Amino acid sequence: PRSAPGPTPETGPEIPPGQPCRGPALPRATYRLQLHSGFTFNDALELVPYLASLGVSHCYLSPILKARPGSTHGYDIVDHGSVNPELGGEAGFERLAAALRANGMGVVLDLVPNHMGVMGGDNAWWLDVLENGPAAAAASHFDIDWLPAKDQLRGKVLLPTLGDHYGNVLDRGELRLAFDAEQGAFSLDYYEHRFPIDPREYPLILGPGLGRLETRLGSETPLFLELASLITAFGHLPPRSETDPERRMERQRDKEQCKHHLARICQGSADIAWYLGECLREYNGADGYPANPERLHLLLEAQAYRPAFWRVAADEINYRRFFDINDLASLRQEQAEVFEASHRLVLDLVRKGLVEGLRIDHPDGLYDPRDYFCRLQAAVRAEPAGPDRAASDGGGSSRPLWLVAEKILSPHERLREDWPVHGTTGYDFTALCSGVLVDSGNGAALERIYGAHLGESIDADELVYQSKKLIMKSALASELNVLAYQLSRIAESDRHTRDYTLNSLRSALAEVVACFPVYRTYVTADGASPEDARHVERAVTAAKKRSLAADTSVFDFVHDMLLLRVGDGKGPEYRQQAVAFALKFQQYTAPVQAKGMEDTACYRYHRLASLSEVGGDPRRFGVSVAALHRANQERARRWPHAMLSTSTHDSKRAEDVRARIHALSELPAEWRTHLQRWRRVNRGKRSLVEGESAPSRNDEYLLYQTLLGAWPLGPLDTAALDAFRARIQAYMLKAMREAKARTSWINPHPAYERAVAAFVDGLFEAAETSRFLADFLPFQRRIARLGMLNGLTQTLLKLTVPGIPDLYQGTELWDLSLVDPDNRRPADWDARVRALSVVERLSPSPEASAATAVREMLVEADNG
């Protein structure tokens, strides 16, 4: 129960329920809630008494800032200055925070500093960039390369939004010129997307047909002269290439005045409104009046953007994205004005005491994570300290706010101690728990079983390497091109390195990234730490060995650039370019590692699928108990307030699914026997697609492990069986597309996908007489029992080892969810409230033994 732990120096005295308070400065335990339009602040408000009774100290909310309408996750923020109205707005959030305070609890927020949602028509910063290009007030907010290698993109942003090639879309009339009479603004509309027209180019729209308006009104009428003068004023606006601050401000001021002027005369005159309609018809066409795609093309060529087929993004996109997601553009938090604008509201919520901690999403995407964390803590420290704000958390005044970083650590990597955070969000603990629950002595046996099933052995190291190379050739090729051109310009400026060709530099960079042993390094303008140097040297050495280049000295050049070992005689401009390259490189290795390892290799290597998890490494089979103790002791010394998680919104399978699959490591002989039997009895359910088996042997291997891990508890009626089958089919579709072997998101293979869905259907057909289910279900029940023991073990560890335990919504009972969106299904809150009431009623009295109480709880559970 909530009051059990008692007061500590960190949490302060216990607060009686119902009494307003700020709550503890450091969480005792957090509970993650996924908010969206179907589960709002009001819905969370109803759970407050339950969460208080459960014993958590903080409600840990998914992102609450205004996101794209209909967002189910909140990571596509379009406005950092407002709370998402679909969740209930700021008033709804304040009601929830007040209710939590009244119950002695606080709020932890998931904060997304790295990127925000673009495209569409609801991000004011992005629309400003599209309208004004480099002269936009928000031009420095996004990480845009305004001088890319392709001349046609100089001063433009590539917009990979079209569903077909640009010319085809233009000819079909899907790009439409529109006019907003209230704003006096022209834009290009493409379905849900709105692309503003540069006001300086309005004369291209308003000027050609002016003679018709002159005929209608007369050349000397004030209204005609007013519009003609306004068209001239639009044409004389400072260009969007303007870099002088005063001229840029002049453009910002004058363009808005001109647009307001146009809106006023349009709304005040039917003749002007008629003329604007005629101007649109010249571009879009109308009944009996053909559209003019060539005129629209010329107008588009004059804009600060270039609409393009979505498939060109991988090669030519010139703004940094969140991984390879085109409608999530990265922000430049290293710019003071960006940091201030994107954190003003959140810091205000902290100042008001409505937020007591932050989970920082994807810090490895930031230019300088340490600098970001320092500025964030400094901004909190600068706020006036309230009477109930903790002065220190044991880490000194440099950490006045509880911060945890969503940092993925490699097995041999440590969190940087100079970061003013309280630890990671717990993926390292997830991997530790998984490792200790796996029988490490059977790794080789499981590898043999896997290889025998596939008919070939897999070199896991080579698989990871090739997966990263695949990502760089496809999804993240354009970012590699940018780095290569950046490095080529540096090489050209020195006579000793100018012979390194663009191709040789690009190839060397790709090899180094593919061999990189961690997500990223943290080199700054001050140089590289010994740890960073070791990572770079390891990557370069491995890349050299793999390279077929005749001249491997190019790797030495790359090595020196990455560690800023700039030679004597180099001027400040050269060093500045080297620093910019080194820090940009670091922002590239992280998404390649994530997409290559987590989203490709982990969906291809299934020796034991439960080890293919975010923050884990499927090549690492098992962790000793001694290693577990050492890790806990290390955390107690260095990061005692780090988060401990076992399931998250990003997990590839819920903790209880993993716990079941872990059990296979203890039963290799039985697993092999059943696997062979299932493959044999299900051979008639497989299909041939283009001469190859569907599902592939690898996909079938994953499917059987998934069924063992996710099979629901208790008997299944027809409706429940159908629902589970649909979930498995959806999971397999996502897993196969992520693997990118027989199908993918970019190039789906419908015939193969249908064949695998039909195979899943076949496994569930005629359940009463199914030879497969007759053999599968008894083995599954055994695995489920062993999985429960594993699940209880990892829960006990999470609640007792040093750190702050986190519960993902619904996982306080058995949760058998798979990867998102499956793990974001609504939890059965009524069932959890009832279960907790049973626990509270049967909690052992001082006279009763815990064993007796547990037996009574199990009987109560069996009775429903």
Side-chain angles (χ1 to χ4, degrees), residues 303-314:
Q303 303 310 309
Y305 48 84
R306 181 176 180 175
F309 189 20
W310 65 270
R311 288 185 180 275
V312 310

Side-chain angles (χ1 to χ4, degrees), residues 313-333:
D315 292 327
E316 294 190 345
I317 201 165
N318 62 329
Y319 60 91
R320 191 168 59 86
R321 303 165 289 175
F322 175 68
F323 297 146
D324 58 344
I325 304 175
N326 295 338
D327 56 1
L328 293 179
S330 296
L331 294 172
R332 300 183 64 195
Q333 291 292 351

Side-chain angles (χ1 to χ4, degrees), residues 449 453 671-679 701 704:
I449 294 169
H453 176 86
W671 167 233
R672 180 180 62 247
T673 299
H674 286 289
L675 181 66
Q676 292 172 345
R677 192 174 298 154
W678 299 342
R679 178 158 180 81
Y701 197 87
Y704 293 140

